[in-house]
Amino acid sequence: MAEGSLETTARVLVVGGTHGNERNGVELLEHWSRVPESLHTAGLPVAFTLGNPGAIAAGRRYLERDLNRSFAPPLLEDSRHQETEVCRARDLLAAWGPEGTTPCAVALDLHSTTAAMGCCLVMYGRRAADLALAAGLQRRLGLPIYLHEGDPAQSGYLAERWPCGLAIEVGPVPQGVVNAAICRQTQLALEGALAVLAEACQGALALPQELVVHRHLRSLDLPRDGQGSPTARVHGLRQDRDWQPMGPGDPLFEAPDGATLGWRQAPGDPGRVWPVFINEAAYEEKGIALSLTLREVWPVASAWGEGLMALLRGR
């Protein structure tokens, strides 16, 4: 499909290496830069950029602070914050943001995880365009969706700063490792997202009747003693069971002596939860052993598709 056949001038930004030790997105961007025809863009104008070049070069997740928590407006607007990643966030917005020198309407952020999440999408709110893109992609590929919202301790995500934005998350893969299967799944998900966006540009967006989301409830840390040292680890029967339901008393943690610690509901918790990002290596520093979600089925609203089509057609 030729670019000229689409009713859009909206550019899509694809970011890899927002975290410097997630090498699969970086590998893909480098390959597509060398061989652009190897990515099927569905006729859309697509721009590529590395998120955190300094951290990529150092082989570290970040240098001073997590870039994917550095896009909160109060942080960006405070000139006292001159950390490497905050400055990089400002630079990315100045170059590719909706009011940047080369503005983009959509940002697709490529990530990998050590958790057994498979290939999935991460949403950071309920904007109509995001919901339409996620629904269209779920219709095409059946990808699970983690809706991360209502967590003041975790905010300032890259995708939030563009009019439409999602993260494509694929795992498990160790930090710093390029895995062919992870690269392939990432490319298929990205090409699916571009195909959905092309449908929206053509006014022929096909959405399902329902959208299945796993809505963030809260995150859990490992049990710890008074000095902050862990007193248990993720249970072997919980490890690698992302997206699987868990009920009260089900194995959650395991003490060094082998004793099982079951899940205990907090006030307001539902009777069943769906853990995600179980034992993600990068979240240890954040005091997160896993996050609890509630699986919900939402009717798809026509306003979602209308919002995405209006955005891409500049209306």
Side-chain angles (χ1 to χ4, degrees):
M1 182 186 300
E3 285 188 11
S5 65
L6 298 179
E7 188 183 341
T8 185
T9 58
R11 185 177 288 103
V12 179
L13 177 66
V14 178
V15 184
T18 297
H19 294 133
N21 58 1
E22 295 179 7
R23 297 290 308 177
N24 294 273
V26 175
E27 174 85 3
L28 287 168
L29 259 64
E30 291 174 347
H31 173 67
W32 295 329
S33 296
R34 294 191 304 268
V35 191
E37 65 273 15
S38 63
L39 178 69
H40 301 292
T41 64
L44 289 167
V46 177
F48 303 103
T49 191
L50 296 175
N52 196 337
I56 293 167
R60 295 167 51 185
R61 183 173 174 86
Y62 56 84
L63 298 178
E64 294 184 82
R65 61 175 297 142
D66 192 331
L67 177 60
N68 208 28
R69 309 293 189 278
S70 297
F71 284 83
L75 186 63
L76 295 173
E77 295 163 6
D78 188 341
S79 60
R80 292 173 297 179
H81 284 282
Q82 295 297 322
E83 299 96 330
T84 300
E85 279 75 18
V86 177
C87 293
R88 180 58 178 161
R90 293 181 184 125
D91 290 344
L92 287 169
L93 286 167
W96 307 106
E99 298 179 1
T101 54
T102 310
C104 295
V106 181
L108 298 173
D109 195 11
L110 308 182
H111 286 264
S112 58
T113 172
T114 66
M117 295 286 283
C119 186
C120 64
L121 306 176
V122 182
M123 295 176 52
Y124 302 106
R126 306 192 186 197
R127 299 180 300 189
D130 294 353
L131 289 164
L133 176 55
L137 195 46
Q138 190 172 81
R139 174 183 176 273
R140 278 179 169 267
L141 300 179
L143 301 183
I145 295 168
Y146 174 36
L147 173 60
H148 190 105
E149 64 175 9
D151 185 356
Q154 300 292 322
S155 61
Y157 295 99
L158 181 151
E160 292 181 288
R161 298 278 68 83
W162 273 260
C164 176
L166 299 174
I168 295 172
E169 189 88 51
V170 191
V173 62
Q175 295 173 342
V177 171
V178 176
N179 178 291
I182 298 296
C183 287
R184 181 60 179 160
Q185 290 179 68
T186 303
Q187 177 158 348
L188 288 173
L190 175 59
E191 290 178 340
L194 295 172
V196 172
L197 294 169
E199 286 181 355
C201 292
Q202 295 168 321
L205 181 60
L207 297 180
Q209 293 185 335
E210 297 178 331
L211 177 68
V212 180
V213 301
H214 290 76
R215 178 171 60 83
H216 179 85
L217 297 174
R218 60 191 177 94
S219 296
L220 298 180
D221 191 9
L222 296 172
R224 297 181 183 272
D225 62 22
Q227 285 70 49
S229 298
T231 58
R233 50 192 171 243
V234 172
H235 198 284
L237 295 178
R238 187 57 47 202
Q239 181 68 44
D240 297 333
R241 290 179 60 82
D242 302 77
W243 310 110
Q244 301 300 311
M246 179 176 70
D250 284 351
L252 179 55
F253 299 120
E254 180 179 296
D257 62 4
T260 294
L261 307 177
W263 176 54
R264 300 177 61 181
Q265 290 172 276
D269 279 346
R272 281 201 307 172
V273 293
W274 282 256
V276 297
F277 284 108
I278 298 172
N279 219 7
E280 161 59 51
Y283 291 174
E284 181 180 3
E285 67 176 29
K286 303 180 190 301
I288 297 173
L290 70 162
S291 293
L292 305 180
T293 72
L294 182 61
R295 185 181 186 274
E296 297 179 338
V297 181
W298 297 353
V300 170
S302 59
W304 298 356
E306 293 165 1
L308 180 58
M309 289 188 286
L311 170 67
L312 296 175
R313 293 180 172 194
R315 297 174 182 170

